[in-house]
Amino acid sequence: MKQSMTFIPTLREVPADAEIRSHQLLLRAGYMRQNSSGVYSFLPLGKKVLQKIEQIVREEMDNAGAVELLMPALQQAEFWQESGRWYTYGPELMRLKDRHDREFALGATHEEVITSLVRDEIKSYKRLPLTVYQIQTKFRDEKRPRFGLLRGREFIMKDAYSFHSNQESLDKVYQRLFAAYSNVFSRCGLDFRAVIADSGAMGGKDTHEFMVLSEVGEDTIAYSDSSDYAANIEMAPVLLDEVKNTDLAKEIEKVETIGKKTIEEVASFLQTDAKACIKSLLFKVDEKFVLVLVRGDHEVNDIKLKNIYGAANVDLASAEDTKEVLGCSIGSLGPIKSAENVEVIADQAVEELVNAVCGANEEDYHYMNVNPGRDFSVSQYADIRFIQEGDKSPDGNGLIKFAKGIEVGHVFKLGTRYSEAMNAVYLDENGRNQPMIMGCYGIGVSRTLAAVAEQFNDENGLLWPSNLAPYHVHLIPVNMKDEVQAALAEELYSSLKKQGYDVLMDDRQERPGVKFADSDLIGLPVRVTVGKKASEGIIEVKIRKSGEMLEIGTDALVETLSEILGK
Amino acid sequence: MKQSMTFIPTLREVPADAEIRSHQLLLRAGYMRQNSSGVYSFLPLGKKVLQKIEQIVREEMDNAGAVELLMPALQQAEFWQESGRWYTYGPELMRLKDRHDREFALGATHEEVITSLVRDEIKSYKRLPLTVYQIQTKFRDEKRPRFGLLRGREFIMKDAYSFHSNQESLDKVYQRLFAAYSNVFSRCGLDFRAVIADSGAMGGKDTHEFMVLSEVGEDTIAYSDSSDYAANIEMAPVLLDEVKNTDLAKEIEKVETIGKKTIEEVASFLQTDAKACIKSLLFKVDEKFVLVLVRGDHEVNDIKLKNIYGAANVDLASAEDTKEVLGCSIGSLGPIKSAENVEVIADQAVEELVNAVCGANEEDYHYMNVNPGRDFSVSQYADIRFIQEGDKSPDGNGLIKFAKGIEVGHVFKLGTRYSEAMNAVYLDENGRNQPMIMGCYGIGVSRTLAAVAEQFNDENGLLWPSNLAPYHVHLIPVNMKDEVQAALAEELYSSLKKQGYDVLMDDRQERPGVKFADSDLIGLPVRVTVGKKASEGIIEVKIRKSGEMLEIGTDALVETLSEILGK
């Protein structure tokens, strides 16, 4: 492609509202432009990278036995009403009315449409399993669109759905797509982890998120420093410390702690450690109040709490509620008196405490030498805290570290959530109706593009892996007015194209500095410069990533490229 | 692809609401399903055909020097307000509000978005011309969605836009894309015509529609029986008959014509011909009333009328208006008395009439021996009638015939309609701001799929051209329980795939009759049947289109396929 024919509007300045590297560089290098908040146009370079990612996704999905189809974006409200999500999805689901005042959703996801389609066409176990996918534009009206393509309102997704007559079949397809996803992100060159994620009450084994490790990620991952274990921090179970506390219990004592509120203040004042304190928090679990205890250096994990109670909502109680239910302020809470009024649940680490400190349900007083079991009883001990850096990895191998991640993929065992709500049943071998068992699987295609840009850049611009780069080679005649240079560039352009290389040739009448800066910004793997030595048949090859420069004869170009690009 | 792995829900019955062949067959053969009125899912077979058409479009557009990008479907209202179409587009444009109550249109077309994008990035004539395209889902809330993919509300379009600093550049790109479109539809195997279409006041040379000839088309084309001339009937100019009428004028006579209203009744009663009558119709041209005269056997072409007056609206006057303005009923109108009250315009053929018949502006009376010029005067004679079958072709070659057409493409010289409204200007060589000159170019991709299905089918099903067929070969083991047949089929499946053939293998446990009927319905170019002679290494090859059957040895298969498919 000649640069004069295409549309690559580069920018020297960093756009004001672009906070992160990928967003800044994709704008600056002319890969995309914003239309409205969270809505983008992919310019020719961006579109080419998108297509390369889509092709990888397609190949891996096809290999995994999924078949491609294409469902509509306009989805009649009735489907969403059947599943119930019309009422629960909230303002993220964009809605509109047609000219006859019928309501529609703009596809944010396609569980409803595919369930309706399969329900209407598949009646027998003989036609199962079936795995379908599509690569399609999705719409979600994010509250705060940000970070460019990482959190947009219109974006490109690969979504897949599988239908089964038994759990084993779902497990098999889940594993197959898990492997396909690993292949996709590996082929994109990404540093990623498959992370155990929250699947609500279903247990952590049934859903994984594929996270690209990045400082700008919005999720925190807990991973082992010695194994491939990784989980969303909400999901990582905590192993109980095997070292038992053998101190002898002392007599309980009420002490004055004037003005000391936080764990740190109290521990310091009483010359002890946060680890020796009990943190007491009143939660509202659906409609019921529960006092939750964790060790002073730990944090309550409300998702674990939610799962234990099978609750829809778990929130910290307000100051007013706390006063009303337990007769004291939030800063004075403790289990001893509270247990008379509310259920008490404690983290497993609390059970091991001996001679601990806790609030006295009374302003400016704490108890010392408190012993769980002796001084108060709890309804249950459970794993209800967040894992922390330095904790043992849940798989027993190594210690936990934290990292930020960008979610680029998600595999999920849906079970019968949609098939039951929408009556998608099949006749089993015994002629009985059974709800289909489903899985769903997503890849953020445009988000993956941004994640690659986020991982592959330097101070001068983007650094595309050669299989995703919009072109392999940036061919730059330094001076287009120099006939020898122009002619040699044209010749190389044609011959490289014939050899199967994608070539972008900068045929613009621009100063060399502008051309080189644009070239670094755009970030193709190899730059070939045709300059003053053109008349001697000598050109310069620059490897974008390493910055390495080679002067070679034109006859060595193809071999040099093949070495660099592995092609 | 194994049929057990994919999703091809065939139907025996013709779906009740599918009126035309393509719609019926695409549903019955499992290429697509309706979601809601005018909104479809493309099932795996349909998606594959779509992709093949898209690939052809892409290749031809790239060859023509256009570059691909991708603009969003969510378009902020402000763009459409700038162009003015927010107020004029009507209910076909789907509109919605986001969570912040900001208004958006769902892209029905992208003139506004691309003009805004190019306006922001291109400032100089040095960066022009530019031609971009996208293949994308479009939304139009049709009043009466019908004929399946031919008139849907969500559909796939290739839309292209070009920007120029001078008219010659636009003309060149227009010609290049005209040629690309011809290539696209030729490669799809379609019988089509490039038809001169209505471009409003700009004149007929500036827009062409690509029409697939089909009985179910919604447009009528006038084409020459001896040249490649073709035009939308609204657009075809009428050549004046060179044979002059040399009759002598007689004296005008008022005759009683009790109860005779129509041209046919009057002509028959007065023992003359419709060709000797003047048809008089009162039109409202914007706010002005005009009496329009055509020969009795001709029809007024209101688009020509509109163009002559540069009017926004041209409508027949109501009975009430006619009574009020000319004091008589619609059936009694004539030019003689009307000329005193309104402007009279006449078709050029009326000027040639001698001793004609016309209404007398009086119930039950007509004039005979009326002579234009002598008995009434007109403001102008012009070409204001529809062309008719049998008329001379406007290019002077042959006679006009009519055909119905499905519009699958459109090329249009927009001029500065959008660049002026949206201030998309560039600096010319002299440093002066000029509005960019634009062209726009569309192909209905999903409509093209339906048009191909409409042209290629027989009583048993679809008949895909081999370059659009979802698979080249339908491989059918007659009895999957027969181990020899199953093994041979597997072997052929693998070896054909290795040879680069797309193969669909019917590995279902179905009766042969079901498999063969489905195969005809699906319509792949070649069926390969593995039956009882499998043990002898003999298989049957059927050419779907001709019905021809061959029994061959397995070793001759690749050669046979290569002959049939030309591959």
Side-chain angles (χ1 to χ4, degrees), chain A residues 104-395:
Chain A
F104 285 82
L106 273 187
T109 170
H110 279 68
E111 281 83 1
E112 282 81 359
V113 175
I114 190 65
T115 304
S116 143
L117 189 59
V118 170
R119 158 184 79 184
D120 291 348
E121 304 298 342
I122 292 188
K123 305 292 182 191
S124 158
Y125 72 96
K126 290 183 199 161
R127 292 281 166 269
L128 296 174
L130 174 68
T131 307
V132 297
Y133 76 97
Q134 61 177 352
I135 297 175
Q136 201 217 25
T137 301
K138 295 280 189 285
F139 304 87
R140 282 184 205 162
D141 199 355
E142 293 283 348
K143 197 168 178 184
R144 285 198 311 139
R146 61 194 294 223
F147 293 168
L149 301 178
L150 287 187
R151 189 165 293 282
R153 300 201 291 173
E154 174 170 347
F155 53 94
I156 297 168
M157 220 178 119
K158 188 287 300 170
D159 47 328
Y161 306 90
S162 69
F163 295 83
H164 310 268
S165 61
N166 59 67
Q167 188 65 32
E168 297 69 48
S169 166
L170 171 60
D171 293 344
K172 215 162 99 183
V173 167
Y174 186 90
Q175 282 312 321
R176 223 187 275 151
L177 291 187
F178 186 100
Y181 276 38
S182 298
N183 293 344
V184 166
F185 299 121
S186 297
R187 287 177 66 182
C188 289
L190 288 165
D191 181 14
F192 70 96
R193 299 268 171 147
V195 167
I196 299 163
D198 177 34
S199 60
M202 281 202 284
K205 291 272 168 175
D206 295 300
T207 173
H208 286 84
E209 287 166 0
F210 287 79
M211 293 277 188
V212 171
L213 302 188
S214 166
E215 272 313 303
V216 306
E218 295 186 338
D219 299 277
T220 303
I221 305 162
Y223 68 97
S224 164
D225 61 2
S226 321
S227 75
D228 68 353
Y229 179 86
N232 210 307
I233 49 160
E234 285 87 8
M235 285 307 297
V238 175
L239 294 185
L240 191 55
D241 203 340
E242 278 155 25
V243 184
K244 298 287 169 189
N245 188 336
T246 53
D247 293 354
L248 290 179
K250 300 183 190 164
E251 197 168 333
I252 190 166
E253 193 181 338
K254 188 171 175 181
V255 292
E256 209 175 23
T257 51
I258 294 175
K260 310 302 172 195
K261 300 273 183 192
T262 67
I263 293 284
E264 289 66 32
E265 288 165 356
V266 171
S268 156
F269 180 73
L270 298 177
Q271 294 183 309
T272 180
D273 194 89
K275 288 185 181 177
C277 297
I278 296 173
K279 192 186 282 181
S280 308
L281 298 161
L282 187 65
F283 273 84
K284 198 171 180 186
V285 177
D286 287 341
E287 291 310 304
K288 178 175 144 192
F289 289 98
V290 175
L291 190 75
V292 180
L293 311 181
V294 292
R295 219 169 64 185
D297 59 329
H298 292 157
E299 299 295 333
V300 175
N301 180 331
D302 50 351
I303 289 184
K304 288 182 178 175
L305 214 51
K306 211 164 161 179
N307 288 345
I308 283 172
Y309 283 99
N313 289 298
V314 163
D315 291 303
L316 262 182
S318 65
E320 293 72 41
D321 282 344
T322 306
K323 191 84 190 170
E324 197 183 314
V325 175
L326 297 176
C328 65
S329 73
I330 287 175
S332 307
L333 280 179
I336 297 177
K337 294 201 176 153
S338 298
E340 296 162 17
N341 297 300
V342 295
E343 181 179 330
V344 179
I345 183 172
D347 183 66
Q348 51 193 3
V350 171
E351 193 170 12
E352 298 302 312
L353 291 177
V354 178
N355 302 327
V357 171
C358 72
N361 287 30
E362 194 181 336
E363 202 78 3
D364 296 335
Y365 284 94
H366 277 78
Y367 287 111
M368 288 176 69
N369 301 330
V370 174
N371 287 287
R374 183 191 74 178
D375 301 322
F376 63 90
S377 59
V378 305
S379 66
Q380 64 173 310
Y381 291 101
D383 170 16
I384 54 172
R385 73 165 172 100
F386 276 105
I387 204 163
Q388 293 182 336
E389 282 197 293
D391 280 341
K392 265 193 190 158
S393 174
D395 69 348

Side-chain angles (χ1 to χ4, degrees), chain A residues 1 4-7 9-11 33-37 39-45 47-48 50-51 58 64-76 79 91-92 94-100 102 104 106 113-114 116-118 121-122 127 129-132 135-137 139 141-145 153-154 156 176 471 508-510, chain B residues 1 4-7 9-11 33-37 39-45 47-48 50-51 58 64-76 79 91-92 94-100 102 104 106 113-114 116-118 121-122 127 129-132 135-137 139 141-145 153-154 156 176 471 508-510:
Chain A
M1 175 66 71
S4 64
M5 299 280 289
T6 184
F7 183 42
T10 54
L11 304 171
R33 281 295 181 268
Q34 181 176 295
N35 284 70
S36 59
S37 173
V39 179
Y40 294 87
S41 287
F42 293 92
L43 304 191
L45 290 181
K47 175 68 185 167
K48 279 187 92 76
L50 260 190
Q51 275 170 318
R58 219 164 241 136
V67 286
E68 188 170 1
L69 43 60
L70 181 62
M71 293 179 276
L74 277 178
Q75 307 184 351
Q76 54 205 103
F79 289 162
E92 254 190 44
M94 302 194 86
R95 299 158 207 243
L96 72 162
K97 288 182 179 175
D98 74 1
R99 66 194 298 153
H100 306 294
R102 289 195 202 100
F104 285 82
L106 273 187
V113 175
I114 190 65
S116 143
L117 189 59
V118 170
E121 304 298 342
I122 292 188
R127 292 281 166 269
L130 174 68
T131 307
V132 297
I135 297 175
Q136 201 217 25
T137 301
F139 304 87
D141 199 355
E142 293 283 348
K143 197 168 178 184
R144 285 198 311 139
R153 300 201 291 173
E154 174 170 347
I156 297 168
R176 223 187 275 151
Y471 299 91
R508 298 174 303 163
Q509 308 264 15
E510 292 281 4
Chain B
M1 175 64 71
S4 63
M5 299 280 288
T6 183
F7 183 43
T10 54
L11 304 170
R33 283 294 181 266
Q34 181 175 296
N35 283 71
S36 60
S37 174
V39 180
Y40 295 86
S41 288
F42 292 92
L43 304 190
L45 290 181
K47 175 68 186 167
K48 278 186 94 73
L50 261 190
Q51 275 169 319
R58 220 164 240 138
V67 287
E68 188 170 2
L69 42 61
L70 181 63
M71 292 179 276
L74 278 178
Q75 308 183 350
Q76 53 205 105
F79 288 161
E92 255 190 43
M94 304 193 86
R95 298 158 208 241
L96 72 161
K97 288 181 179 175
D98 74 1
R99 66 194 299 154
H100 307 294
R102 290 196 200 98
F104 285 82
L106 273 187
V113 175
I114 191 65
S116 143
L117 189 59
V118 170
E121 306 297 341
I122 292 188
R127 292 280 168 271
L130 174 69
T131 306
V132 297
I135 296 176
Q136 201 218 26
T137 300
F139 303 87
D141 200 356
E142 292 283 347
K143 197 169 180 183
R144 286 199 309 138
R153 300 200 291 172
E154 174 172 346
I156 297 167
R176 222 187 277 151
Y471 299 91
R508 297 175 302 164
Q509 306 265 15
E510 291 282 2

